[in-house]
């Protein structure tokens, strides 16, 4: 099929490449001329495992192309996906100006029947607004609007798209549903077809449930610390119940990234607008903030005063296998340590380039390796669980540090082994601190 993605960011580009991989003819559109020029040169503007090869191969095979022209894109696709950013407003609600703009831009380009699919994460009822907007600017246009939430995770986006757990779309038209089924025919996955509002809600409900699981285990981690229990064993024990499952029960510094914090705030705002406040999610947010507060308290307690203390931080991205620093708890941690006067040396395997663009100030020095970060420091903090951090020579690292304080904010390491190397080892919810 001929498909178009409007918006060639994280979701648009990865989805476009995967659609091309299964044989569709895909055109990715973006109004950022720099981004399109980068893609046309064969470079990928983001780091995502497997994506570069997928893009290169499909461009070479003539199934993937890029343009800055919305008109060209709309002409090309039988189905046109909108995958533009939906940033938060200061009050947590979603700013839908980019979606509205694309709807306005698509309208005059509609010369024949098209399915317009909303792939961006949007509040319930956005589909209706998109249809209204298109009709306002093109009253005789023939089209249907469909909601098709994406469930890809950064770092495993290609795998999530190629082998999804499920495909969900919401449609109020048989004609549009038939075309959508054809789009997803090459993907082997259970398909759920709903009305538009339900599909829109599924996305926010899924992300907030996952965030709830994380906050749940983080709340338990605090009880473990107070009682001497081990949160890893508790997570294993409850996760063995198939009704609960072990996934997303990793205690740590809390969730970050471009999705959960924004989507939880948005869902709270929508529920309030609908007159049914979802207060449980406010508690999810509170527990998430408390994890990093508690962690910093523990560092402060060990070092007494943070002013002038040299602290190494390993990991800056919001999770491993990405270069994304957006709403990263690790970056927040670095900033808060520096704000208290600590002198931070930081290292991340993939996030250094983006970290250099952040206004981190003179109290933070970015270095070339985890070992270099740890030289002469009073404490070492693991903020993101990159697997390579578990493979460094901890005996050498310990010797290069001024004092052996190790704070593992992601429970990456084994307490017994680290204590064996002579570390004063602290982690999350694994016995009394
Ligand atoms: C999340 C969802 O997992 C995807 O299904 C969804 O499609 C995506 O948002 C989206 O809305 O676009 P993502 O933000 O890429 O994906 O990352 P996750 O793997 O979900 O991790 C989010 C945060 O939770 C990270 O900061 C991670 O460190 C944290 N986390 C995750 C925990 O603290 N504990 C866990 O057990 C799992």
């Amino acid at each position: 099929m001929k498909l178009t993605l409007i918006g060639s960011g994280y979701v648009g580009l990865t989805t476009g490449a995967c659609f091309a991989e299964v044989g569709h003819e895909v055109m990715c559109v973006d109004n950022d001329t720099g981004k399109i020029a980068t893609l046309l040169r064969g470079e990928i503007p983001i780091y995502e495992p497997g994506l570069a090869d997928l893009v290169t191969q499909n461009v070479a095979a003539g199934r993937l192309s890029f343009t800055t022209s919305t008109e060209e894109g709309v002409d090309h696709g039988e189905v046109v996906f909108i995958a533009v950013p939906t940033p938060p407003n200061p009050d947590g609600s979603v700013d839908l100006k980019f979606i509205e703009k694309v709807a306005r831009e698509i309208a005059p380009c509609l010369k024949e029947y098209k399915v317009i699919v909303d792939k961006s994460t949007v509040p319930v009822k956005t589909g209706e607004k998109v249809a209204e907007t298109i009709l306002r600017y093109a009253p005789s246009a023939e089209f249907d609007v469909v909601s098709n939430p994406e469930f890809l995770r950064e770092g495993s986006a290609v795998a999530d798209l190629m082998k999804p757990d499920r495909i969900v779309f919401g449609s109020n038209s048989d004609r549009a549903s038939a075309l959508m089924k054809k789009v997803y025919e090459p993907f082997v996955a259970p398909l759920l077809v709903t009305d538009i509002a339900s599909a829109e809600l599924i996305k926010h409900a899924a992300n907030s449930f996952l965030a709830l699981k994380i906050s749940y285990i983080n709340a338990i981690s605090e009880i473990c610390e107070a009682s001497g229990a081990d949160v890893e064993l508790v997570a294993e024990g409850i996760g063995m119940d198939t009704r609960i499952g072990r996934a997303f029960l990793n205690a740590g510094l809390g969730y970050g990234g471009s999705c959960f914090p924004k989507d939880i705030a948005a869902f709270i705002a929508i529920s309030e607008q609908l007159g049914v406040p979802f207060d449980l999610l406010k508690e999810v947010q509170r527990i998430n903030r408390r994890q990093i507060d508690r962690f910093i308290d523990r560092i402060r307690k060990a070092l007494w005063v943070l002013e002038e203390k040299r602290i190494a931080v390993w990991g800056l991205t919001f999770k491993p296998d990405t270069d994304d620093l957006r709403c990263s708890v690790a970056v927040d941690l670095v900033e808060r340590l520096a704000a208290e006067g600590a002198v931070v040396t930081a290292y991340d395997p993939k996030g250094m380039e983006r970290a250099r663009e952040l206004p981190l100030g003179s109290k933070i020095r970015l270095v070339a390796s985890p070992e270099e970060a740890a030289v002469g420091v009073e404490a070492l903090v693991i903020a993101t669980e990159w697997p390579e951090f578990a493979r460094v020579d901890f005996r050498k690292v310990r010797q290069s540090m001024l004092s052996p304080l190790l704070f593992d904010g992601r429970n990456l390491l084994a307490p017994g082994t680290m204590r064996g190397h002579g570390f004063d080892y602290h982690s999350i919810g694994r016995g009394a601190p």
Side-chain angles (χ1 to χ4, degrees), residues 83-382:
V84 293
T86 47
N89 284 314
D91 68 354
S93 64
V94 184
D95 183 349
L96 291 166
K97 66 170 182 259
F98 298 121
I99 299 265
E100 192 269 350
K101 189 161 180 271
V102 170
R104 250 187 301 136
E105 284 171 1
I106 288 175
C109 308
L110 292 171
K111 295 164 197 152
E112 56 189 356
Y113 176 80
K114 305 271 172 183
V115 180
I116 311 297
V117 185
D118 182 20
K119 223 178 203 323
S120 306
T121 300
V122 292
V124 61
K125 296 213 170 282
T126 301
E128 275 177 26
K129 293 270 181 212
V130 168
E132 268 170 38
T133 306
I134 295 176
L135 277 178
R136 188 171 313 126
Y137 291 90
S140 55
E142 257 198 285
F143 69 96
D144 280 305
V145 170
V146 165
S147 163
N148 176 210
E150 55 78 19
F151 304 108
L152 60 87
R153 287 163 300 174
E154 291 190 19
S156 54
V158 171
D160 287 351
L161 274 161
M162 295 305 289
K163 285 195 173 67
D165 280 352
R166 82 291 209 190
I167 292 157
V168 173
F169 72 78
S171 159
N172 301 340
S173 137
D174 290 343
R175 187 175 182 188
S177 296
L179 282 167
M180 287 300 287
K181 282 182 183 156
K182 224 173 126 192
V183 170
Y184 282 107
E185 212 171 62
F187 298 88
V188 185
L191 173 69
L192 178 68
V193 183
T194 68
D195 59 282
I196 296 175
S198 300
E200 289 169 335
L201 262 184
I202 284 168
K203 172 69 190 195
H204 272 137
N207 271 7
S208 53
F209 189 79
L210 292 170
L212 178 123
K213 266 189 112 173
I214 299 168
S215 279
Y216 185 86
I217 201 66
N218 281 337
I220 297 221
S221 76
E222 192 172 356
I223 298 174
C224 288
E225 284 164 23
S227 63
D230 184 333
V231 74
E232 300 289 316
L233 297 174
V234 176
E236 201 180 323
I238 59 177
M240 285 163 93
D241 184 330
T242 49
R243 293 170 301 174
I244 298 173
R246 176 64 181 80
F248 277 68
L249 287 178
N250 296 321
L253 287 172
Y255 61 79
S258 64
C259 302
F260 287 173
K262 179 183 81 132
D263 289 354
I264 288 25
F267 207 17
I268 290 172
I270 298 155
S271 67
E272 280 167 3
Q273 279 160 23
L274 292 169
V276 277
F278 199 168
D279 288 338
L280 175 64
L281 295 185
K282 291 191 180 160
E283 189 59 15
V284 169
Q285 289 179 317
R286 192 195 64 81
I287 295 167
N288 202 52
R289 283 192 297 267
R290 187 166 162 73
Q291 279 308 93
I292 185 165
D293 290 348
R294 293 197 311 115
F295 193 69
I296 292 174
D297 280 350
R298 279 169 74 179
I299 301 175
R300 211 185 280 117
K301 210 166 157 190
L303 290 171
W304 190 14
V305 170
L306 292 185
E307 177 92 41
E308 292 178 6
K309 296 288 146 49
R310 280 153 298 175
I311 301 178
V313 175
W314 288 1
L316 292 168
T317 51
F318 83 98
K319 66 174 193 179
D321 271 332
T322 175
D323 62 354
D324 199 341
L325 303 176
R326 287 176 293 171
C327 286
S328 167
V329 180
V331 172
D332 189 19
L333 178 84
V334 164
E335 283 171 346
R336 288 173 61 172
L337 294 175
E340 290 199 34
V343 181
V344 177
T345 42
Y347 169 79
D348 188 277
K350 291 279 179 234
M352 300 303 270
E353 213 175 303
R354 286 179 196 264
R356 279 186 207 102
E357 293 161 13
L358 293 176
L360 288 174
S362 58
K363 288 245 163 72
I364 293 154
R365 201 161 57 88
L366 299 170
V367 295
S369 71
E371 290 85 356
E372 188 185 341
V375 174
V377 297
E378 275 119 324
L380 165 60
V381 176
I382 297 178

